[in-house]
Amino acid sequence: HSSETERNSEECERDVEDVKMAEYMEGHLEEEFNGMISGVTNFGFFVMLDNNIEGLVSNETFSEPFFFDKEKEIIKVGKELFKLGDEVVVKVISANKESGEIDFQYIGRVETYEKVKKKY
């Protein structure tokens, strides 16, 4: 009984954290952040920002065909490959405090983005 109660408590704690993170990100819509790919799935990839907030870049946000290789844990979009640990720049496109979900749009690779920014 106590193990089940502990699991329920941990799940509740994660849910509250998700809601608070989404609530915080509601104030940062349309802002860009650096982050690292923390998970890849058949519906997109998760990005962990430098402030430890995680959100999803959905495959629906890409205009090119999206391919997920479960075995290699990589995603291919057009000519680009995405894998765990890749550093990317994302823009916050939505945050829902009721569901605790945060959605990002992929902007580019950190190293490429920083080089272009320095030119201007």
Side-chain angles (χ1 to χ4, degrees), residues 40-42 67-75 82-84:
V40 293
T41 70
N42 62 336
F67 174 74
F68 172 61
D69 186 330
K70 184 177 181 178
E71 195 173 292
K72 294 181 182 177
E73 291 189 314
I74 61 169
I75 291 173
F82 299 97
K83 64 185 181 327
L84 293 176

Side-chain angles (χ1 to χ4, degrees), residues 28-79:
H28 296 279
L29 294 177
E30 300 300 314
E31 290 184 31
E32 295 178 359
F33 294 89
N34 291 356
M36 183 179 294
I37 295 178
S38 58
V40 293
T41 70
N42 62 336
F43 53 85
F45 55 86
F46 290 93
V47 175
M48 178 75 69
L49 303 182
D50 295 339
N51 60 8
N52 289 328
I53 291 178
E54 189 174 53
L56 174 69
V57 175
S58 171
N59 61 2
E60 296 173 1
T61 62
F62 291 99
S63 58
E64 297 187 49
F66 180 97
F67 174 74
F68 172 61
D69 186 330
K70 184 177 181 178
E71 195 173 292
K72 294 181 182 177
E73 291 189 314
I74 61 169
I75 291 173
K76 184 175 183 195
V77 179
K79 295 179 182 178

Side-chain angles (χ1 to χ4, degrees), residues 4-5 7-10 13 32 38-40 47 53-54 57 63 66 68-70 76 90 103 106 108 112-113 116 120:
E4 183 180 335
T5 302
R7 279 191 299 276
N8 289 341
S9 174
E10 288 172 356
E13 183 179 338
E32 295 178 359
S38 58
V40 293
V47 175
I53 291 178
E54 189 174 53
V57 175
S63 58
F66 180 97
F68 172 61
D69 186 330
K70 184 177 181 178
K76 184 175 183 195
V90 293
D103 294 313
Y106 171 72
T112 306
Y113 188 75
V116 170
Y120 298 98

Side-chain angles (χ1 to χ4, degrees), residues 20-33 49 51 53 90-96 102-105:
K20 286 300 186 183
M21 288 182 199
E23 183 176 32
Y24 171 78
M25 293 306 282
E26 282 181 334
H28 296 279
L29 294 177
E30 300 300 314
E31 290 184 31
E32 295 178 359
F33 294 89
L49 303 182
N51 60 8
I53 291 178
V90 293
K91 178 169 54 171
V92 182
I93 56 174
S94 71
N96 184 324
I102 301 167
D103 294 313
F104 296 138
Q105 179 179 6

